[in-house]
């Protein structure tokens, strides 16, 4: 055995070396006093490209874009105090959508912790409820254990964000490093209980009106093909949550599209009639279920999830299976009988014919659905689609032909306006060969508009489609529908000139409103390389329909 | 739980939870944070290091309600929690302590 050669390294250098060993090649962040030693070490890295965000939340969402596009933990960095607090929203967003993220924050030196030092905040305490796990480092030596462990935790089981808070003196502490630890990778998930899988198979075989309900876990587990195979073999009509869109191609004969608050009528009505619901990597979110007591009221439930705490959390499952959904589906497939289910499929088809998803204006690029379709017509399935949060997000979820897992990056659980553009930058950095389109609104874009200059600086291939209805559209819609049309604080009086805003940040822009041939203008803009903003006005009164009123059962939809 | 009276509180069934955890400064925050953010009161807490002090044992006295199963699953998910065991209210750990609370 050869003797290890010892290197004398600072905590900061150890951090950078461990990130390099972990395979991190792009990370996003903003430096500040308490993280300067790490930035100094980072400046010496030939492997890591640091993307300078203009707000820590933007940096967090750039990292999320990388993680969502690839499925691999991504890294963001911030200094102590306001740097850390600015990062919190992006971390909370990652927690609710189970995104593997490693956030590294600088902290004041240990001797000053608890003294209300300049830019001191209890980052550890603040991040407990919004991380999967977090660490406050006490020595440079501990970094050797903590950093690989952070990556392992972020990627293992149900993925999620991990925060590492590193006091400045720990970054500067010099230690001897002999052996480097193994990189942190996802732990192997125990195989599912065979008798439960058999029970689930029996229930599927016996059901007469089953529905397969796919959630984001199917994407995280790379189980889309297995889910589609199960649906095809057992003739299972399939609904997807917002997070699962793309898991089954939209045109698939068994796809009923998205369920829930803005799902199609036939989708929610079919769920209302099903006698077996097979939930796979889905967590019965209230936006998907509506009033829980009215959700699939006749159905028995098979629930498959990697997180045991999801089983029986909202709905008691008749068969709950804890396990990696891909592995469970692989085991389930041979145990399930091939069926045709002609009666049920024909009932679903008649529901679809009677209550289809209505996309008014689909052929007119000056309407929401028409604009989304016109953008889709210029692209193939290799394009990645991100959104911000609001009406545009739901319109895109309803109308964009998503066909590929990880094609669709959206803030589902936390619903964070300001997510879309920095996430698109991250996705484009991770997969530079793709065109990344960010659909956004005039409300959302302003919440992280500063990252336009980051997009320009990095030259990322991001096309921002800004649907401008001069309002906080979903608030406007809810005030119209549920608050007696008392429109308050949702109509913007002042409106920036978004084309000039983008150009001011160094991003070329076009205004579809003034283009005589919007199709041609879109095609030219989307086929160019580099960042671009495409501004398009939308009528303020346009609504996302159908809509389940908050708190109502899904079958009691309005409109559509 | 703050809205119910002391007599009502005493009438509720109790559960004693026994947790084996890593012994470090953040563990208590992680554990009690799960309860506090759900407005789930912890009636009693006892913590001492075990053996060499690498791990600690936390005893929690909580009211039984319909959220308890979910709470236990959430506690089990914490990285620093090694094991969770459930006991009935008759467990003597808190009973023997009562004399210090008179």
């Amino acid at each position: 055995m050869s003797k290890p050669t010892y290197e004398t390294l600072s905590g900061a250098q150890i951090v950078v070396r461990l990130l390099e060993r972990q395979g991190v090649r792009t990370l996003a962040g903003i430096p500040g006093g308490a993280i300067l030693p790490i930035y100094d070490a980072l400046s010496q890295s030939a492997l890591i490209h640091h993307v300078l965000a203009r707000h820590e939340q933007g940096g967090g969402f750039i990292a999320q874009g990388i993680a969502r596009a690839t499925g691999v933990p991504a890294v963001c960095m911030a200094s102590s105090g306001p740097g850390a607090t600015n990062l919190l929203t992006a971390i909370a967003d990652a927690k609710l959508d189970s995104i593997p993220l490693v956030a590294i924050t600088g902290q004041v030196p240990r001797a000053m912790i608890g003294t209300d030092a300049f830019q001191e905040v209890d980052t550890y305490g603040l991040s407990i409820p919004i991380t999967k796990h977090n660490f406050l480092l006490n020595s440079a030596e501990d970094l050797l254990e903590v950093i690989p462990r952070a990556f392992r935790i972020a990627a293992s089981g149900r993925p999620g964000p991990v925060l590492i808070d590193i006091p400045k003196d720990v970054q500067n502490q010099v230690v001897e490093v002999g052996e480097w630890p193994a990189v942190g990778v996802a732990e192997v998930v125990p195989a599912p209980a065979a008798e439960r899988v058999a029970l689930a198979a029996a229930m599927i075989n016996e059901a007469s009106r089953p529905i397969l309900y796919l959630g984001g876990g199917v994407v995280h587990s790379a189980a889309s093909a297995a889910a589609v195979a199960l649906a095809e073999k057992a003739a299972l009509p399939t609904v997807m949550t917002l997070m699962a869109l793309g898991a089954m191609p939209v045109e698939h004969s068994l796809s009923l599209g998205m369920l829930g608050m803005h799902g199609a009528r036939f989708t929610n009505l079919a769920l209302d009639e099903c006698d077996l619901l097979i939930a796979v990597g889905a967590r019965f979110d209230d936006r998907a279920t509506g009033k829980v007591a009215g959700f699939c009221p006749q159905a028995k439930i098979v629930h498959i999830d990697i997180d045991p705490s999801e089983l029986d959390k909202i709905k008691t499952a008749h068969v709950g299976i804890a396990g990696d959904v891909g592995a469970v589906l692989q085991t389930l497939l041979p145990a399930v009988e091939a069926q045709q289910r002609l009666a049920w499929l024909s009932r679903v088809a008649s529901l679809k014919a009677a209550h289809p998803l209505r996309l008014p204006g689909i052929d007119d690029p000056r309407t929401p659905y028409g604009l989304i379709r016109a953008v889709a017509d210029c692209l193939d399935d290799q394009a990645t689609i991100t959104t911000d949060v609001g009406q545009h997000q739901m319109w895109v979820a309803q109308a964009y032909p998503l066909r590929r897992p990880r094609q669709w990056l959206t803030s589902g659980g936390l619903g964070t306006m300001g997510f879309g553009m920095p996430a698109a930058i991250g996705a484009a950095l991770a997969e530079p060969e793709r065109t990344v389109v960010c659909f956004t609104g005039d409300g959302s874009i302003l919440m992280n508009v500063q990252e336009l200059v980051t997009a320009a600086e990095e030259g990322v291939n991001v096309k921002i489609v800004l649907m401008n209805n001069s309002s906080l559209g979903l608030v406007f819609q809810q005030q119209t529908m549920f608050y007696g049309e008392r429109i308050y604080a949702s109509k913007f009086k002042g409106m920036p000139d978004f084309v000039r805003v983008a150009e001011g940040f160094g991003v070329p822009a076009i205004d579809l409103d003034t283009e005589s041939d919007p199709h041609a203008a879109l095609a030219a803009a989307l086929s160019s390389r580099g960042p671009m903003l495409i501004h398009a006005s939308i009528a303020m009164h346009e609504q996302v329909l159908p809509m389940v009123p908050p708190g109502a059962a899904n079958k009691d939809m309005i409109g559509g | 739980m703050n809205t119910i009276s002391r007599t009502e509180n005493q009438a509720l069934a109790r559960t004693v939870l026994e947790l084996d955890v890593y012994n470090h400064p953040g563990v208590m925050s992680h554990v009690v944070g799960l309860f506090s953010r759900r407005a789930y009161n912890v009636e009693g807490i006892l913590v001492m290091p075990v053996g060499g002090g690498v791990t600690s044992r936390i005893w929690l006295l909580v009211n039984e309600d319909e959220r308890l199963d979910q709470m236990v699953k959430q506690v089990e998910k914490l990285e620093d929690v090694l094991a969770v065991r459930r006991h009935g209210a008759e467990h003597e750990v808190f009973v023997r302590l009562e004399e210090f609370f008179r």
Side-chain angles (χ1 to χ4, degrees), chain B residues 16-87:
Chain B
V16 172
L17 299 177
E18 179 188 7
L19 282 59
D20 295 335
V21 301
Y22 286 118
N23 178 17
H24 75 81
V27 172
M28 284 301 290
S29 285
H30 276 272
V31 172
V32 299
L34 286 180
F35 288 85
S36 62
R37 84 182 69 128
R38 290 171 172 82
Y40 196 135
N41 197 36
V42 177
E43 300 292 327
I45 305 177
L46 265 177
V47 197
M48 290 282 276
V50 177
V54 175
T55 64
S56 290
R57 185 158 301 143
I58 302 179
W59 295 92
L60 300 176
L61 178 67
V62 297
N63 289 325
E64 259 182 43
D65 81 26
E66 72 285 352
R67 299 172 295 173
L68 187 59
D69 286 344
Q70 176 63 209
M71 285 311 312
V72 170
K73 286 181 181 176
Q74 293 293 339
V75 173
E76 284 171 338
K77 269 168 66 168
L78 291 176
E79 277 293 320
D80 288 327
V81 173
L82 303 165
V84 181
R85 289 175 290 274
R86 285 170 80 154
H87 304 281

Side-chain angles (χ1 to χ4, degrees), chain A residues 269-508:
Chain A
L269 291 173
L271 283 160
D272 200 53
E273 292 185 13
C274 75
D275 68 349
L276 177 68
L277 185 70
I278 307 137
V280 184
R283 60 180 175 88
F284 295 81
D285 174 79
D286 55 277
R287 288 299 192 264
T289 63
K291 189 168 88 182
V292 174
F295 182 63
C296 304
Q298 313 170 40
K300 290 189 173 173
I301 291 171
V302 171
H303 193 176
I304 305 166
D305 203 285
I306 201 163
D307 180 353
S309 75
E310 286 302 337
L311 306 177
D312 304 332
K313 185 182 84 174
I314 305 289
K315 277 276 221 188
T316 305
H318 297 79
V319 178
I321 304 175
D324 173 69
V325 297
V328 177
L329 290 172
Q330 298 291 354
T331 327
L332 198 53
L333 190 63
V336 164
E337 291 163 9
Q339 298 211 27
Q340 295 196 300
R341 282 190 222 281
L342 295 176
W344 176 225
L345 292 187
S346 117
R347 172 64 188 155
V348 170
S350 71
L351 281 172
K352 187 172 182 176
H355 310 281
L357 180 64
R358 293 185 205 284
L359 302 171
I362 190 79
D363 297 318
D364 176 1
R366 307 213 186 269
T367 71
Y369 292 127
L371 176 61
I372 292 159
R373 181 57 55 91
V375 170
D377 286 345
C378 298
L379 300 165
D380 60 22
D381 296 345
Q382 294 310 304
T384 297
I385 309 301
T386 79
T387 74
D388 262 300
V389 170
Q391 283 186 315
H392 70 273
Q393 177 190 30
M394 291 298 114
W395 283 323
V396 178
Q398 291 174 326
Y400 197 95
L402 297 162
R403 303 186 179 98
R404 172 174 69 81
R406 300 198 183 279
Q407 184 182 12
W408 165 248
L409 317 181
T410 198
S411 168
L414 196 66
T416 313
M417 294 169 68
F419 167 91
M421 197 244 295
I425 295 172
L429 288 164
E431 300 183 318
E433 71 286 2
R434 296 191 194 275
T435 300
V436 182
V437 176
C438 165
F439 286 94
T440 184
D442 52 309
S444 287
I445 184 87
L446 289 177
M447 292 209 184
N448 270 320
V449 74
Q450 76 287 343
E451 302 310 331
L452 278 170
V453 68
T454 313
E457 199 169 272
E458 296 291 326
V460 286
N461 197 22
V462 167
K463 314 299 177 193
I464 301 154
V465 179
L466 170 49
M467 299 167 77
N468 184 350
N469 57 5
S470 308
S471 64
L472 294 165
L474 216 43
V475 175
F476 185 93
Q477 175 173 339
Q478 289 217 26
Q479 289 176 337
T480 305
M481 295 170 83
F482 309 121
Y483 292 86
E485 297 186 49
R486 290 180 298 281
I487 305 302
Y488 185 74
S490 58
K491 265 162 80 169
F492 293 125
K493 297 186 189 94
M495 182 52 62
D497 180 338
F498 284 108
V499 170
R500 287 177 62 195
V501 167
E503 288 170 349
F505 278 111
V507 171

Side-chain angles (χ1 to χ4, degrees), chain B residues 6 8-16 43-44 61-64 68 87-90 98:
Chain B
R6 196 178 167 80
E8 279 175 318
N9 203 10
Q10 282 166 347
L12 287 172
R14 296 279 177 86
T15 292
V16 172
E43 300 292 327
L61 178 67
V62 297
N63 289 325
E64 259 182 43
L68 187 59
H87 304 281
E90 72 286 354
E98 273 174 10

Side-chain angles (χ1 to χ4, degrees), chain A residues 191-210:
Chain A
E195 74 284 356
R196 296 200 163 236
V197 176
L199 223 56
M203 286 174 74
I204 295 170
N205 293 339
E206 284 157 24
S208 24
R209 300 183 307 280

